[in-house]
PDB file of all heavy atoms in Angstrom:
ATOM      1  N   ALA A 211     -38.658 -80.839 -40.301  1.00 93.00           N
ATOM      2  CA  ALA A 211     -38.433 -81.346 -41.654  1.00 93.00           C
ATOM      3  C   ALA A 211     -37.111 -82.104 -41.692  1.00 93.00           C
ATOM      4  O   ALA A 211     -36.211 -81.827 -40.888  1.00 93.00           O
ATOM      5  CB  ALA A 211     -38.416 -80.176 -42.645  1.00 93.00           C
ATOM      6  N   PRO A 212     -36.970 -83.073 -42.616  1.00 93.00           N
ATOM      7  CA  PRO A 212     -35.763 -83.901 -42.637  1.00 93.00           C
ATOM      8  C   PRO A 212     -34.456 -83.123 -42.645  1.00 93.00           C
ATOM      9  O   PRO A 212     -33.531 -83.447 -41.893  1.00 93.00           O
ATOM     10  CB  PRO A 212     -35.939 -84.735 -43.911  1.00 93.00           C
ATOM     11  CG  PRO A 212     -37.421 -84.849 -44.066  1.00 93.00           C
ATOM     12  CD  PRO A 212     -37.967 -83.556 -43.592  1.00 93.00           C
ATOM     13  N   LEU A 213     -34.347 -82.082 -43.473  1.00 95.00           N
ATOM     14  CA  LEU A 213     -33.100 -81.326 -43.548  1.00 95.00           C
ATOM     15  C   LEU A 213     -32.806 -80.622 -42.225  1.00 95.00           C
ATOM     16  O   LEU A 213     -31.672 -80.645 -41.730  1.00 95.00           O
ATOM     17  CB  LEU A 213     -33.167 -80.309 -44.687  1.00 95.00           C
ATOM     18  CG  LEU A 213     -31.935 -79.409 -44.839  1.00 95.00           C
ATOM     19  CD1 LEU A 213     -30.680 -80.246 -45.088  1.00 95.00           C
ATOM     20  CD2 LEU A 213     -32.139 -78.399 -45.954  1.00 95.00           C
ATOM     21  N   ILE A 214     -33.826 -80.005 -41.632  1.00 95.00           N
ATOM     22  CA  ILE A 214     -33.638 -79.312 -40.360  1.00 95.00           C
ATOM     23  C   ILE A 214     -33.248 -80.319 -39.277  1.00 95.00           C
ATOM     24  O   ILE A 214     -32.361 -80.051 -38.445  1.00 95.00           O
ATOM     25  CB  ILE A 214     -34.919 -78.556 -39.960  1.00 95.00           C
ATOM     26  CG1 ILE A 214     -35.254 -77.501 -41.023  1.00 95.00           C
ATOM     27  CG2 ILE A 214     -34.759 -77.918 -38.594  1.00 95.00           C
ATOM     28  CD1 ILE A 214     -34.179 -76.456 -41.198  1.00 95.00           C
ATOM     29  N   ALA A 215     -33.902 -81.474 -39.263  1.00 94.00           N
ATOM     30  CA  ALA A 215     -33.592 -82.496 -38.265  1.00 94.00           C
ATOM     31  C   ALA A 215     -32.145 -82.973 -38.399  1.00 94.00           C
ATOM     32  O   ALA A 215     -31.445 -83.162 -37.390  1.00 94.00           O
ATOM     33  CB  ALA A 215     -34.556 -83.672 -38.408  1.00 94.00           C
ATOM     34  N   ARG A 216     -31.681 -83.144 -39.635  1.00 96.00           N
ATOM     35  CA  ARG A 216     -30.296 -83.572 -39.833  1.00 96.00           C
ATOM     36  C   ARG A 216     -29.313 -82.501 -39.376  1.00 96.00           C
ATOM     37  O   ARG A 216     -28.289 -82.802 -38.747  1.00 96.00           O
ATOM     38  CB  ARG A 216     -30.057 -83.908 -41.306  1.00 96.00           C
ATOM     39  CG  ARG A 216     -30.709 -85.216 -41.735  1.00 96.00           C
ATOM     40  CD  ARG A 216     -30.452 -85.519 -43.194  1.00 96.00           C
ATOM     41  NE  ARG A 216     -30.958 -86.841 -43.561  1.00 96.00           N
ATOM     42  CZ  ARG A 216     -30.906 -87.359 -44.762  1.00 96.00           C
ATOM     43  NH1 ARG A 216     -30.362 -86.653 -45.758  1.00 96.00           N
ATOM     44  NH2 ARG A 216     -31.374 -88.557 -45.002  1.00 96.00           N
ATOM     45  N   LEU A 217     -29.608 -81.249 -39.667  1.00 97.00           N
ATOM     46  CA  LEU A 217     -28.731 -80.164 -39.242  1.00 97.00           C
ATOM     47  C   LEU A 217     -28.702 -80.043 -37.721  1.00 97.00           C
ATOM     48  O   LEU A 217     -27.640 -79.802 -37.132  1.00 97.00           O
ATOM     49  CB  LEU A 217     -29.182 -78.851 -39.876  1.00 97.00           C
ATOM     50  CG  LEU A 217     -28.974 -78.722 -41.384  1.00 97.00           C
ATOM     51  CD1 LEU A 217     -29.581 -77.426 -41.911  1.00 97.00           C
ATOM     52  CD2 LEU A 217     -27.489 -78.793 -41.734  1.00 97.00           C
ATOM     53  N   LEU A 218     -29.852 -80.209 -37.085  1.00 96.00           N
ATOM     54  CA  LEU A 218     -29.894 -80.157 -35.624  1.00 96.00           C
ATOM     55  C   LEU A 218     -29.138 -81.333 -35.013  1.00 96.00           C
ATOM     56  O   LEU A 218     -28.462 -81.187 -33.983  1.00 96.00           O
ATOM     57  CB  LEU A 218     -31.346 -80.154 -35.141  1.00 96.00           C
ATOM     58  CG  LEU A 218     -32.114 -78.842 -35.368  1.00 96.00           C
ATOM     59  CD1 LEU A 218     -33.586 -79.018 -35.022  1.00 96.00           C
ATOM     60  CD2 LEU A 218     -31.502 -77.721 -34.542  1.00 96.00           C
ATOM     61  N   GLY A 219     -29.223 -82.509 -35.638  1.00 96.00           N
ATOM     62  CA  GLY A 219     -28.465 -83.651 -35.163  1.00 96.00           C
ATOM     63  C   GLY A 219     -26.973 -83.426 -35.279  1.00 96.00           C
ATOM     64  O   GLY A 219     -26.198 -83.784 -34.374  1.00 96.00           O
ATOM     65  N   LEU A 220     -26.547 -82.822 -36.389  1.00 97.00           N
ATOM     66  CA  LEU A 220     -25.130 -82.490 -36.557  1.00 97.00           C
ATOM     67  C   LEU A 220     -24.700 -81.450 -35.535  1.00 97.00           C
ATOM     68  O   LEU A 220     -23.606 -81.549 -34.944  1.00 97.00           O
ATOM     69  CB  LEU A 220     -24.889 -81.972 -37.972  1.00 97.00           C
ATOM     70  CG  LEU A 220     -23.474 -81.481 -38.286  1.00 97.00           C
ATOM     71  CD1 LEU A 220     -22.460 -82.605 -38.096  1.00 97.00           C
ATOM     72  CD2 LEU A 220     -23.396 -80.917 -39.699  1.00 97.00           C
ATOM     73  N   LEU A 221     -25.543 -80.440 -35.309  1.00 97.00           N
ATOM     74  CA  LEU A 221     -25.233 -79.415 -34.310  1.00 97.00           C
ATOM     75  C   LEU A 221     -25.078 -80.041 -32.930  1.00 97.00           C
ATOM     76  O   LEU A 221     -24.147 -79.705 -32.178  1.00 97.00           O
ATOM     77  CB  LEU A 221     -26.340 -78.359 -34.299  1.00 97.00           C
ATOM     78  CG  LEU A 221     -26.219 -77.283 -33.210  1.00 97.00           C
ATOM     79  CD1 LEU A 221     -24.963 -76.444 -33.426  1.00 97.00           C
ATOM     80  CD2 LEU A 221     -27.469 -76.406 -33.192  1.00 97.00           C
ATOM     81  N   ALA A 222     -25.988 -80.936 -32.577  1.00 97.00           N
ATOM     82  CA  ALA A 222     -25.907 -81.597 -31.275  1.00 97.00           C
ATOM     83  C   ALA A 222     -24.609 -82.391 -31.150  1.00 97.00           C
ATOM     84  O   ALA A 222     -23.954 -82.375 -30.101  1.00 97.00           O
ATOM     85  CB  ALA A 222     -27.120 -82.512 -31.083  1.00 97.00           C
ATOM     86  N   TRP A 223     -24.217 -83.086 -32.222  1.00 97.00           N
ATOM     87  CA  TRP A 223     -22.957 -83.852 -32.214  1.00 97.00           C
ATOM     88  C   TRP A 223     -21.783 -82.912 -31.986  1.00 97.00           C
ATOM     89  O   TRP A 223     -20.891 -83.206 -31.175  1.00 97.00           O
ATOM     90  CB  TRP A 223     -22.820 -84.591 -33.539  1.00 97.00           C
ATOM     91  CG  TRP A 223     -21.679 -85.562 -33.605  1.00 97.00           C
ATOM     92  CD1 TRP A 223     -21.736 -86.897 -33.344  1.00 97.00           C
ATOM     93  CD2 TRP A 223     -20.313 -85.269 -33.950  1.00 97.00           C
ATOM     94  NE1 TRP A 223     -20.493 -87.459 -33.510  1.00 97.00           N
ATOM     95  CE2 TRP A 223     -19.604 -86.492 -33.879  1.00 97.00           C
ATOM     96  CE3 TRP A 223     -19.631 -84.120 -34.320  1.00 97.00           C
ATOM     97  CZ2 TRP A 223     -18.238 -86.572 -34.164  1.00 97.00           C
ATOM     98  CZ3 TRP A 223     -18.273 -84.185 -34.590  1.00 97.00           C
ATOM     99  CH2 TRP A 223     -17.593 -85.403 -34.512  1.00 97.00           C
ATOM    100  N   LEU A 224     -21.755 -81.795 -32.686  1.00 97.00           N
ATOM    101  CA  LEU A 224     -20.645 -80.846 -32.557  1.00 97.00           C
ATOM    102  C   LEU A 224     -20.593 -80.247 -31.151  1.00 97.00           C
ATOM    103  O   LEU A 224     -19.518 -80.112 -30.564  1.00 97.00           O
ATOM    104  CB  LEU A 224     -20.790 -79.736 -33.590  1.00 97.00           C
ATOM    105  CG  LEU A 224     -20.616 -80.143 -35.060  1.00 97.00           C
ATOM    106  CD1 LEU A 224     -20.997 -78.995 -35.980  1.00 97.00           C
ATOM    107  CD2 LEU A 224     -19.187 -80.592 -35.335  1.00 97.00           C
ATOM    108  N   VAL A 225     -21.743 -79.882 -30.611  1.00 96.00           N
ATOM    109  CA  VAL A 225     -21.791 -79.278 -29.280  1.00 96.00           C
ATOM    110  C   VAL A 225     -21.303 -80.255 -28.222  1.00 96.00           C
ATOM    111  O   VAL A 225     -20.597 -79.877 -27.277  1.00 96.00           O
ATOM    112  CB  VAL A 225     -23.234 -78.799 -28.966  1.00 96.00           C
ATOM    113  CG1 VAL A 225     -23.385 -78.463 -27.490  1.00 96.00           C
ATOM    114  CG2 VAL A 225     -23.589 -77.598 -29.826  1.00 96.00           C
ATOM    115  N   LEU A 226     -21.638 -81.525 -28.362  1.00 96.00           N
ATOM    116  CA  LEU A 226     -21.275 -82.511 -27.360  1.00 96.00           C
ATOM    117  C   LEU A 226     -19.821 -82.969 -27.480  1.00 96.00           C
ATOM    118  O   LEU A 226     -19.161 -83.206 -26.460  1.00 96.00           O
ATOM    119  CB  LEU A 226     -22.196 -83.730 -27.469  1.00 96.00           C
ATOM    120  CG  LEU A 226     -23.638 -83.530 -27.009  1.00 96.00           C
ATOM    121  CD1 LEU A 226     -24.504 -84.691 -27.458  1.00 96.00           C
ATOM    122  CD2 LEU A 226     -23.697 -83.383 -25.490  1.00 96.00           C
ATOM    123  N   LEU A 227     -19.302 -83.077 -28.704  1.00 96.00           N
ATOM    124  CA  LEU A 227     -17.998 -83.697 -28.885  1.00 96.00           C
ATOM    125  C   LEU A 227     -16.839 -82.718 -29.033  1.00 96.00           C
ATOM    126  O   LEU A 227     -15.769 -82.965 -28.465  1.00 96.00           O
ATOM    127  CB  LEU A 227     -18.019 -84.640 -30.102  1.00 96.00           C
ATOM    128  CG  LEU A 227     -18.326 -86.100 -29.738  1.00 96.00           C
ATOM    129  CD1 LEU A 227     -19.797 -86.239 -29.352  1.00 96.00           C
ATOM    130  CD2 LEU A 227     -17.975 -87.032 -30.863  1.00 96.00           C
ATOM    131  N   LEU A 228     -17.011 -81.658 -29.784  1.00 95.00           N
ATOM    132  CA  LEU A 228     -15.864 -80.789 -30.049  1.00 95.00           C
ATOM    133  C   LEU A 228     -15.272 -80.155 -28.794  1.00 95.00           C
ATOM    134  O   LEU A 228     -14.040 -80.156 -28.629  1.00 95.00           O
ATOM    135  CB  LEU A 228     -16.240 -79.723 -31.076  1.00 95.00           C
ATOM    136  CG  LEU A 228     -16.350 -80.207 -32.530  1.00 95.00           C
ATOM    137  CD1 LEU A 228     -16.478 -79.012 -33.471  1.00 95.00           C
ATOM    138  CD2 LEU A 228     -15.168 -81.069 -32.937  1.00 95.00           C
ATOM    139  N   PRO A 229     -16.077 -79.600 -27.878  1.00 95.00           N
ATOM    140  CA  PRO A 229     -15.466 -79.043 -26.660  1.00 95.00           C
ATOM    141  C   PRO A 229     -14.742 -80.105 -25.831  1.00 95.00           C
ATOM    142  O   PRO A 229     -13.641 -79.843 -25.309  1.00 95.00           O
ATOM    143  CB  PRO A 229     -16.661 -78.462 -25.898  1.00 95.00           C
ATOM    144  CG  PRO A 229     -17.696 -78.212 -26.944  1.00 95.00           C
ATOM    145  CD  PRO A 229     -17.519 -79.321 -27.938  1.00 95.00           C
ATOM    146  N   ALA A 230     -15.330 -81.296 -25.710  1.00 95.00           N
ATOM    147  CA  ALA A 230     -14.696 -82.362 -24.930  1.00 95.00           C
ATOM    148  C   ALA A 230     -13.376 -82.791 -25.565  1.00 95.00           C
ATOM    149  O   ALA A 230     -12.361 -82.966 -24.876  1.00 95.00           O
ATOM    150  CB  ALA A 230     -15.644 -83.557 -24.821  1.00 95.00           C
ATOM    151  N   TRP A 231     -13.380 -82.933 -26.895  1.00 96.00           N
ATOM    152  CA  TRP A 231     -12.149 -83.331 -27.572  1.00 96.00           C
ATOM    153  C   TRP A 231     -11.087 -82.246 -27.468  1.00 96.00           C
ATOM    154  O   TRP A 231      -9.908 -82.526 -27.210  1.00 96.00           O
ATOM    155  CB  TRP A 231     -12.429 -83.640 -29.044  1.00 96.00           C
ATOM    156  CG  TRP A 231     -11.162 -83.912 -29.800  1.00 96.00           C
ATOM    157  CD1 TRP A 231     -10.463 -85.087 -29.835  1.00 96.00           C
ATOM    158  CD2 TRP A 231     -10.419 -82.972 -30.584  1.00 96.00           C
ATOM    159  NE1 TRP A 231      -9.342 -84.945 -30.610  1.00 96.00           N
ATOM    160  CE2 TRP A 231      -9.286 -83.660 -31.078  1.00 96.00           C
ATOM    161  CE3 TRP A 231     -10.611 -81.644 -30.929  1.00 96.00           C
ATOM    162  CZ2 TRP A 231      -8.344 -83.028 -31.895  1.00 96.00           C
ATOM    163  CZ3 TRP A 231      -9.677 -81.022 -31.731  1.00 96.00           C
ATOM    164  CH2 TRP A 231      -8.561 -81.718 -32.214  1.00 96.00           C
ATOM    165  N   ALA A 232     -11.471 -80.991 -27.667  1.00 96.00           N
ATOM    166  CA  ALA A 232     -10.508 -79.887 -27.626  1.00 96.00           C
ATOM    167  C   ALA A 232      -9.880 -79.754 -26.238  1.00 96.00           C
ATOM    168  O   ALA A 232      -8.659 -79.555 -26.111  1.00 96.00           O
ATOM    169  CB  ALA A 232     -11.187 -78.577 -28.027  1.00 96.00           C
ATOM    170  N   LEU A 233     -10.688 -79.889 -25.210  1.00 96.00           N
ATOM    171  CA  LEU A 233     -10.160 -79.801 -23.851  1.00 96.00           C
ATOM    172  C   LEU A 233      -9.196 -80.953 -23.571  1.00 96.00           C
ATOM    173  O   LEU A 233      -8.109 -80.743 -23.003  1.00 96.00           O
ATOM    174  CB  LEU A 233     -11.309 -79.823 -22.844  1.00 96.00           C
ATOM    175  CG  LEU A 233     -10.895 -79.793 -21.364  1.00 96.00           C
ATOM    176  CD1 LEU A 233     -10.138 -78.514 -21.045  1.00 96.00           C
ATOM    177  CD2 LEU A 233     -12.135 -79.939 -20.473  1.00 96.00           C
ATOM    178  N   ALA A 234      -9.584 -82.163 -23.983  1.00 96.00           N
ATOM    179  CA  ALA A 234      -8.713 -83.316 -23.769  1.00 96.00           C
ATOM    180  C   ALA A 234      -7.405 -83.163 -24.535  1.00 96.00           C
ATOM    181  O   ALA A 234      -6.318 -83.462 -24.009  1.00 96.00           O
ATOM    182  CB  ALA A 234      -9.432 -84.594 -24.190  1.00 96.00           C
ATOM    183  N   PHE A 235      -7.484 -82.687 -25.771  1.00 95.00           N
ATOM    184  CA  PHE A 235      -6.273 -82.506 -26.569  1.00 95.00           C
ATOM    185  C   PHE A 235      -5.338 -81.492 -25.912  1.00 95.00           C
ATOM    186  O   PHE A 235      -4.128 -81.700 -25.840  1.00 95.00           O
ATOM    187  CB  PHE A 235      -6.643 -82.039 -27.983  1.00 95.00           C
ATOM    188  CG  PHE A 235      -5.461 -81.833 -28.881  1.00 95.00           C
ATOM    189  CD1 PHE A 235      -4.855 -82.904 -29.514  1.00 95.00           C
ATOM    190  CD2 PHE A 235      -4.951 -80.551 -29.095  1.00 95.00           C
ATOM    191  CE1 PHE A 235      -3.756 -82.714 -30.338  1.00 95.00           C
ATOM    192  CE2 PHE A 235      -3.849 -80.353 -29.917  1.00 95.00           C
ATOM    193  CZ  PHE A 235      -3.255 -81.435 -30.536  1.00 95.00           C
ATOM    194  N   TRP A 236      -5.893 -80.373 -25.437  1.00 96.00           N
ATOM    195  CA  TRP A 236      -5.067 -79.335 -24.797  1.00 96.00           C
ATOM    196  C   TRP A 236      -4.410 -79.869 -23.529  1.00 96.00           C
ATOM    197  O   TRP A 236      -3.220 -79.672 -23.304  1.00 96.00           O
ATOM    198  CB  TRP A 236      -5.937 -78.123 -24.479  1.00 96.00           C
ATOM    199  CG  TRP A 236      -5.194 -77.060 -23.726  1.00 96.00           C
ATOM    200  CD1 TRP A 236      -4.166 -76.281 -24.169  1.00 96.00           C
ATOM    201  CD2 TRP A 236      -5.431 -76.666 -22.376  1.00 96.00           C
ATOM    202  NE1 TRP A 236      -3.736 -75.429 -23.180  1.00 96.00           N
ATOM    203  CE2 TRP A 236      -4.502 -75.638 -22.075  1.00 96.00           C
ATOM    204  CE3 TRP A 236      -6.344 -77.066 -21.397  1.00 96.00           C
ATOM    205  CZ2 TRP A 236      -4.465 -75.024 -20.822  1.00 96.00           C
ATOM    206  CZ3 TRP A 236      -6.307 -76.448 -20.157  1.00 96.00           C
ATOM    207  CH2 TRP A 236      -5.371 -75.447 -19.887  1.00 96.00           C
ATOM    208  N   LEU A 237      -5.165 -80.570 -22.708  1.00 95.00           N
ATOM    209  CA  LEU A 237      -4.621 -81.067 -21.443  1.00 95.00           C
ATOM    210  C   LEU A 237      -3.525 -82.101 -21.657  1.00 95.00           C
ATOM    211  O   LEU A 237      -2.553 -82.157 -20.890  1.00 95.00           O
ATOM    212  CB  LEU A 237      -5.746 -81.662 -20.592  1.00 95.00           C
ATOM    213  CG  LEU A 237      -6.752 -80.660 -20.012  1.00 95.00           C
ATOM    214  CD1 LEU A 237      -7.892 -81.388 -19.311  1.00 95.00           C
ATOM    215  CD2 LEU A 237      -6.064 -79.696 -19.056  1.00 95.00           C
ATOM    216  N   THR A 238      -3.647 -82.914 -22.702  1.00 93.00           N
ATOM    217  CA  THR A 238      -2.621 -83.929 -22.942  1.00 93.00           C
ATOM    218  C   THR A 238      -1.335 -83.351 -23.497  1.00 93.00           C
ATOM    219  O   THR A 238      -0.321 -84.054 -23.566  1.00 93.00           O
ATOM    220  CB  THR A 238      -3.140 -85.022 -23.903  1.00 93.00           C
ATOM    221  OG1 THR A 238      -3.613 -84.418 -25.106  1.00 93.00           O
ATOM    222  CG2 THR A 238      -4.246 -85.830 -23.254  1.00 93.00           C
ATOM    223  N   GLN A 239      -1.357 -82.078 -23.899  1.00 91.00           N
ATOM    224  CA  GLN A 239      -0.132 -81.431 -24.362  1.00 91.00           C
ATOM    225  C   GLN A 239       0.665 -80.827 -23.212  1.00 91.00           C
ATOM    226  O   GLN A 239       1.813 -80.402 -23.400  1.00 91.00           O
ATOM    227  CB  GLN A 239      -0.443 -80.328 -25.383  1.00 91.00           C
ATOM    228  CG  GLN A 239      -1.343 -80.745 -26.521  1.00 91.00           C
ATOM    229  CD  GLN A 239      -0.885 -82.005 -27.226  1.00 91.00           C
ATOM    230  OE1 GLN A 239       0.230 -82.075 -27.731  1.00 91.00           O
ATOM    231  NE2 GLN A 239      -1.754 -83.011 -27.252  1.00 91.00           N
ATOM    232  N   LEU A 240       0.069 -80.754 -22.038  1.00 91.00           N
ATOM    233  CA  LEU A 240       0.743 -80.160 -20.891  1.00 91.00           C
ATOM    234  C   LEU A 240       1.724 -81.149 -20.267  1.00 91.00           C
ATOM    235  O   LEU A 240       1.766 -82.330 -20.627  1.00 91.00           O
ATOM    236  CB  LEU A 240      -0.295 -79.723 -19.851  1.00 91.00           C
ATOM    237  CG  LEU A 240      -1.359 -78.722 -20.327  1.00 91.00           C
ATOM    238  CD1 LEU A 240      -2.332 -78.428 -19.209  1.00 91.00           C
ATOM    239  CD2 LEU A 240      -0.723 -77.446 -20.853  1.00 91.00           C
ATOM    240  N   ALA A 241       2.508 -80.660 -19.329  1.00 86.00           N
ATOM    241  CA  ALA A 241       3.414 -81.542 -18.594  1.00 86.00           C
ATOM    242  C   ALA A 241       2.598 -82.637 -17.901  1.00 86.00           C
ATOM    243  O   ALA A 241       1.529 -82.376 -17.340  1.00 86.00           O
ATOM    244  CB  ALA A 241       4.211 -80.737 -17.566  1.00 86.00           C
ATOM    245  N   TYR A 242       3.106 -83.846 -17.967  1.00 89.00           N
ATOM    246  CA  TYR A 242       2.441 -85.025 -17.408  1.00 89.00           C
ATOM    247  C   TYR A 242       1.100 -85.313 -18.095  1.00 89.00           C
ATOM    248  O   TYR A 242       0.243 -85.999 -17.529  1.00 89.00           O
ATOM    249  CB  TYR A 242       2.237 -84.896 -15.893  1.00 89.00           C
ATOM    250  CG  TYR A 242       3.526 -84.697 -15.129  1.00 89.00           C
ATOM    251  CD1 TYR A 242       3.879 -83.444 -14.643  1.00 89.00           C
ATOM    252  CD2 TYR A 242       4.400 -85.766 -14.946  1.00 89.00           C
ATOM    253  CE1 TYR A 242       5.078 -83.250 -13.970  1.00 89.00           C
ATOM    254  CE2 TYR A 242       5.600 -85.594 -14.262  1.00 89.00           C
ATOM    255  CZ  TYR A 242       5.940 -84.329 -13.784  1.00 89.00           C
ATOM    256  OH  TYR A 242       7.117 -84.156 -13.122  1.00 89.00           O
ATOM    257  N   GLY A 243       0.934 -84.774 -19.305  1.00 91.00           N
ATOM    258  CA  GLY A 243      -0.278 -85.084 -20.050  1.00 91.00           C
ATOM    259  C   GLY A 243      -0.413 -86.552 -20.384  1.00 91.00           C
ATOM    260  O   GLY A 243      -1.516 -87.031 -20.630  1.00 91.00           O
ATOM    261  N   TRP A 244       0.715 -87.259 -20.369  1.00 92.00           N
ATOM    262  CA  TRP A 244       0.671 -88.701 -20.665  1.00 92.00           C
ATOM    263  C   TRP A 244      -0.162 -89.455 -19.628  1.00 92.00           C
ATOM    264  O   TRP A 244      -0.743 -90.508 -19.942  1.00 92.00           O
ATOM    265  CB  TRP A 244       2.086 -89.278 -20.734  1.00 92.00           C
ATOM    266  CG  TRP A 244       2.913 -89.057 -19.496  1.00 92.00           C
ATOM    267  CD1 TRP A 244       3.718 -88.004 -19.235  1.00 92.00           C
ATOM    268  CD2 TRP A 244       3.021 -89.941 -18.383  1.00 92.00           C
ATOM    269  NE1 TRP A 244       4.329 -88.151 -18.007  1.00 92.00           N
ATOM    270  CE2 TRP A 244       3.918 -89.337 -17.465  1.00 92.00           C
ATOM    271  CE3 TRP A 244       2.467 -91.172 -18.071  1.00 92.00           C
ATOM    272  CZ2 TRP A 244       4.265 -89.926 -16.253  1.00 92.00           C
ATOM    273  CZ3 TRP A 244       2.799 -91.771 -16.854  1.00 92.00           C
ATOM    274  CH2 TRP A 244       3.682 -91.146 -15.960  1.00 92.00           C
ATOM    275  N   LEU A 245      -0.257 -88.925 -18.409  1.00 95.00           N
ATOM    276  CA  LEU A 245      -1.110 -89.569 -17.406  1.00 95.00           C
ATOM    277  C   LEU A 245      -2.573 -89.498 -17.826  1.00 95.00           C
ATOM    278  O   LEU A 245      -3.330 -90.464 -17.670  1.00 95.00           O
ATOM    279  CB  LEU A 245      -0.917 -88.904 -16.046  1.00 95.00           C
ATOM    280  CG  LEU A 245       0.416 -89.163 -15.347  1.00 95.00           C
ATOM    281  CD1 LEU A 245       0.535 -88.297 -14.100  1.00 95.00           C
ATOM    282  CD2 LEU A 245       0.546 -90.643 -14.981  1.00 95.00           C
ATOM    283  N   LEU A 246      -2.970 -88.351 -18.376  1.00 95.00           N
ATOM    284  CA  LEU A 246      -4.340 -88.215 -18.867  1.00 95.00           C
ATOM    285  C   LEU A 246      -4.570 -89.117 -20.080  1.00 95.00           C
ATOM    286  O   LEU A 246      -5.671 -89.647 -20.258  1.00 95.00           O
ATOM    287  CB  LEU A 246      -4.635 -86.763 -19.216  1.00 95.00           C
ATOM    288  CG  LEU A 246      -6.058 -86.470 -19.706  1.00 95.00           C
ATOM    289  CD1 LEU A 246      -7.085 -86.864 -18.656  1.00 95.00           C
ATOM    290  CD2 LEU A 246      -6.212 -84.994 -20.065  1.00 95.00           C
ATOM    291  N   ASP A 247      -3.534 -89.291 -20.922  1.00 96.00           N
ATOM    292  CA  ASP A 247      -3.659 -90.221 -22.046  1.00 96.00           C
ATOM    293  C   ASP A 247      -4.064 -91.609 -21.554  1.00 96.00           C
ATOM    294  O   ASP A 247      -4.947 -92.254 -22.117  1.00 96.00           O
ATOM    295  CB  ASP A 247      -2.333 -90.316 -22.806  1.00 96.00           C
ATOM    296  CG  ASP A 247      -2.147 -89.195 -23.809  1.00 96.00           C
ATOM    297  OD1 ASP A 247      -3.135 -88.824 -24.458  1.00 96.00           O
ATOM    298  OD2 ASP A 247      -1.023 -88.694 -23.932  1.00 96.00           O
ATOM    299  N   ILE A 248      -3.399 -92.065 -20.504  1.00 96.00           N
ATOM    300  CA  ILE A 248      -3.705 -93.388 -19.943  1.00 96.00           C
ATOM    301  C   ILE A 248      -5.144 -93.430 -19.431  1.00 96.00           C
ATOM    302  O   ILE A 248      -5.897 -94.376 -19.712  1.00 96.00           O
ATOM    303  CB  ILE A 248      -2.722 -93.742 -18.815  1.00 96.00           C
ATOM    304  CG1 ILE A 248      -1.307 -93.898 -19.359  1.00 96.00           C
ATOM    305  CG2 ILE A 248      -3.161 -95.025 -18.103  1.00 96.00           C
ATOM    306  CD1 ILE A 248      -0.255 -94.089 -18.275  1.00 96.00           C
ATOM    307  N   VAL A 249      -5.522 -92.397 -18.694  1.00 95.00           N
ATOM    308  CA  VAL A 249      -6.865 -92.364 -18.110  1.00 95.00           C
ATOM    309  C   VAL A 249      -7.932 -92.335 -19.196  1.00 95.00           C
ATOM    310  O   VAL A 249      -8.943 -93.049 -19.116  1.00 95.00           O
ATOM    311  CB  VAL A 249      -7.004 -91.143 -17.174  1.00 95.00           C
ATOM    312  CG1 VAL A 249      -8.455 -90.983 -16.716  1.00 95.00           C
ATOM    313  CG2 VAL A 249      -6.088 -91.288 -15.968  1.00 95.00           C
ATOM    314  N   LEU A 250      -7.726 -91.522 -20.225  1.00 96.00           N
ATOM    315  CA  LEU A 250      -8.711 -91.427 -21.298  1.00 96.00           C
ATOM    316  C   LEU A 250      -8.865 -92.749 -22.038  1.00 96.00           C
ATOM    317  O   LEU A 250      -9.987 -93.164 -22.360  1.00 96.00           O
ATOM    318  CB  LEU A 250      -8.322 -90.312 -22.270  1.00 96.00           C
ATOM    319  CG  LEU A 250      -8.471 -88.885 -21.745  1.00 96.00           C
ATOM    320  CD1 LEU A 250      -7.875 -87.889 -22.732  1.00 96.00           C
ATOM    321  CD2 LEU A 250      -9.935 -88.548 -21.478  1.00 96.00           C
TER     322      LEU A 250
END
């Protein structure tokens, strides 16, 4: 159903993006994180 499909699409977006963003944010706060900033 449309509502379920939209919720599943949002869930898929969150599953794919939030862990990747959180990991990248944490790593760029470490020493020499600026190197990862350039790479990203």
Side-chain angles (χ1 to χ4, degrees):
L213 178 59
I214 299 299
R216 287 180 174 178
L217 290 175
L218 287 172
L220 176 60
L221 175 64
W223 188 94
L224 292 171
V225 167
L226 289 167
L227 266 72
L228 285 190
W231 174 81
L233 178 62
F235 180 81
W236 175 67
L237 290 174
T238 55
Q239 309 309 302
L240 302 178
Y242 302 104
W244 56 270
L245 289 173
L246 182 59
D247 277 321
I248 295 173
V249 172
L250 289 172

